Amino acid sequence: MDVDDHAEELASALGVDKAEVKSDLENLLSYSVPIDEAKQSIRRKHGEEGGGDAAPTAKDVADITTADGNVTVTVRVLSVGRRSIRYQGEEQVIREGEFADETGRISYTAWEDFGFEPGDSLTVGNVGVREWEGEPELNVGQSSTVAIETTPVEVPYEVGGDSDLVDLRAGDRGRNVEVRILESEERVIDGRNGETTIRSGVVADETGRLPFTDWEARPELREDSTLRFEEVYVREFRGVPQVNLTEFTTVTPLAREIEVDDEAPRMGVAEAVASGGLFDVELVGNVLEVRDGSGLIERCGECGRVLQNGQCRVHGDVDGEDDMRVKAIVDDGTGTVTAVLDRDLTEELYGGTMDEAMEAAREAMDKEVVADAIREVVVGREYRVRGNLSVDDYGASLEASEFERSTDDPTARATALLSEVRG
């Protein structure tokens, strides 16, 4: 059902002008208010205090789908996080995290403070369902009811939100992590309220590394400090999960040291791709192909996009800036990924500088001689590639920070791959 259909349905039920209802509905949706909450707001505006479009249905978490309207669930609160958002032109604090029952877990957003905490058992009635990160999410609003259950809801999940970095995924809310700061810098960005000072960098624990942004720019987030962050949320940034600290995040120094491995965790391609995106991962596989658009290229001086026939898809006809790159298809037997190498790594593979590559192209009157020379070096050989993995509708790509010939024993790798495939 689109906005026009929702507006017509509401206008008919309320006996008011459809154009006015549609305008109000579009305004609320523009502030990312869930459709059910937006419709409830419009009903209240016109004096109707009733519930949603249909009586809520009691459901197990595993049975909830994005096709559901209003549901009632009996759940355990796994985590609670707070975040400030702009709603109808004003700042509003929302609560968000995960609920669970014995059948599964589900994320939620509560638009009011209902007072529940991690570990509480609840029956939540008349709660809306929307899609979030491709999955159903519960929206607990003004018309919802929240009742504490005296008998605990038993769940096969940890309560409290403590997580290792390797387990974090975009969309996670109300998480707690214990980390060591590897990189940290303060900078000024153009935020939603004008110029905003933030602190960003890289954190690590025993399981991996992730980028972080602290929207409060806390000075104690200095390099090599070990800290506990409580109430962080995770969003996707440049294809990988990013830890975000807000004004509600508490930062506590740790008495213990956190040992960080200088090596990136090694994974099979299929496992890495299934994660949806990883920061600093290592893959090993054979180069099947060096794709078109490798070797000598030109980029737009405004946005850095690669030019096609002298054209930037955003800025049109521009003077290009010379660059080099490689886009290599790497296969480990479980899956494939496109490794993207920057100028420095490409020059290493080519065995010469960009100026030398450009001279070779001029002599041959063909830029493809550079990509062909790289193909001769890498195709059919096994490489170890390290970098940041992103996954989208077009496939998986890895922005490489390291790319070198593998020194692994091929027999041992083949045995390990067969074991993985066979389970």
Side-chain angles (χ1 to χ4, degrees):
M1 186 180 291
D2 60 21
V3 174
D4 197 67
D5 292 334
H6 283 294
E8 183 172 357
E9 182 182 71
L10 272 174
S12 176
L14 297 170
V16 296
D17 181 63
K18 175 185 172 182
E20 179 186 354
V21 171
K22 184 176 180 181
S23 176
D24 288 344
L25 195 58
E26 288 176 336
N27 182 54
L28 290 167
L29 294 175
S30 71
Y31 289 104
S32 300
V33 179
I35 185 66
D36 287 333
E37 289 301 310
K39 291 166 71 174
Q40 291 286 2
S41 178
I42 293 170
R43 288 189 181 94
R44 288 190 294 272
K45 173 183 175 180
H46 292 280
E48 182 179 298
E49 297 297 330
D53 297 329
T57 302
K59 284 204 166 188
D60 290 333
V61 166
D63 296 330
I64 297 172
T65 72
T66 54
D68 289 315
N70 297 324
V71 298
T72 293
V73 292
T74 299
V75 293
R76 188 86 171 268
V77 182
L78 297 185
S79 59
V80 179
R82 290 167 293 174
R83 188 155 55 97
S84 177
I85 64 169
R86 189 175 292 278
Y87 170 62
Q88 291 185 319
E90 298 181 357
E91 295 291 323
Q92 177 173 337
V93 177
I94 60 174
R95 275 86 181 158
E96 51 189 6
E98 281 191 311
F99 293 151
D101 63 13
E102 63 179 5
T103 71
R105 56 205 295 174
I106 190 169
S107 64
Y108 71 86
T109 295
W111 296 84
E112 296 184 9
D113 183 4
F114 290 92
F116 54 74
E117 299 292 339
D120 288 346
S121 294
L122 314 170
T123 291
V124 187
N126 198 34
V127 56
V129 182
R130 71 163 181 171
E131 183 176 325
W132 175 259
E133 300 289 339
E135 299 293 332
E137 179 185 79
L138 299 179
N139 281 276
V140 190
Q142 206 170 42
S143 61
S144 302
T145 59
V146 177
I148 299 292
E149 291 290 328
T150 55
T151 301
V153 176
E154 298 297 329
V155 296
Y157 308 104
E158 291 292 328
V159 173
D162 285 3
S163 302
D164 292 329
L165 291 183
V166 72
D167 295 324
L168 294 181
R169 297 291 181 266
D172 286 345
R173 284 78 61 85
R175 298 294 186 177
N176 312 316
V177 294
E178 295 187 349
V179 297
R180 178 174 156 192
I181 309 292
L182 298 186
E183 301 173 21
S184 181
E185 66 171 353
E186 192 173 284
R187 55 195 178 95
V188 177
I189 65 169
D190 186 15
R192 70 186 184 191
N193 295 318
E195 286 194 348
T196 303
T197 300
I198 65 169
R199 182 169 290 276
S200 60
V202 177
V203 293
D205 64 9
E206 294 87 349
T207 68
R209 309 174 185 213
L210 284 180
F212 78 88
T213 293
D214 177 16
W215 298 94
E216 295 296 294
R218 296 169 176 85
E220 61 265 38
L221 270 65
R222 60 187 180 276
E223 292 183 5
D224 215 34
S225 57
T226 55
L227 305 165
R228 177 177 172 84
F229 300 160
E230 295 186 354
E231 280 195 52
V232 301
Y233 72 95
V234 184
R235 71 174 184 178
E236 183 179 295
F237 180 70
R238 294 179 179 173
V240 301
Q242 179 194 68
V243 176
N244 285 261
L245 289 75
T246 73
E247 69 267 37
F248 302 108
T249 303
T250 59
V251 177
T252 308
L254 290 177
R256 72 180 182 92
E257 288 296 315
I258 293 179
E259 296 297 326
V260 176
D261 193 343
D262 289 336
E263 301 298 322
R266 180 177 290 192
M267 302 176 70
V269 171
E271 180 187 4
V273 172
S275 73
L278 292 168
F279 182 80
D280 196 28
V281 65
E282 182 177 284
L283 310 174
V284 176
N286 291 297
V287 175
L288 301 184
E289 176 188 356
V290 172
R291 294 179 55 186
D292 292 342
S294 297
L296 291 170
I297 59 172
E298 288 184 315
R299 294 188 183 275
C300 174
E302 295 290 329
C303 64
R305 289 179 170 85
V306 176
L307 303 185
Q308 301 293 335
N309 299 318
Q311 297 285 316
C312 172
R313 71 181 187 213
V314 173
H315 298 100
D317 189 10
V318 297
D319 292 330
E321 296 181 353
D322 293 319
D323 197 5
M324 292 182 77
R325 74 171 179 187
V326 168
K327 298 176 70 176
I329 305 298
V330 178
D331 186 306
D332 73 342
T334 70
T336 62
V337 63
T338 300
V340 182
L341 282 59
D342 64 9
R343 173 178 168 177
D344 290 340
L345 290 175
T346 301
E347 286 181 328
E348 288 181 21
L349 279 185
Y350 178 67
T353 66
M354 187 169 74
D355 288 340
E356 291 171 335
M358 293 176 67
E359 179 61 28
R362 280 192 293 268
E363 290 180 2
M365 293 184 293
D366 183 4
K367 281 187 175 182
E368 275 301 303
V369 298
V370 177
D372 288 340
I374 294 171
R375 289 184 179 97
E376 288 292 326
V377 173
V378 300
V379 172
R381 294 177 172 84
E382 187 177 74
Y383 279 81
R384 180 188 67 83
V385 56
R386 177 177 180 175
N388 301 335
L389 177 74
S390 60
V391 182
D392 57 25
D393 292 340
Y394 299 99
S397 62
L398 188 142
E399 295 287 338
S401 58
E402 298 177 12
F403 190 82
E404 60 185 25
R405 285 289 298 273
S406 172
T407 57
D408 288 0
D409 175 19
T411 302
R413 279 206 67 242
T415 301
L417 283 172
L418 283 173
S419 298
E420 183 178 342
V421 171
R422 292 169 178 168

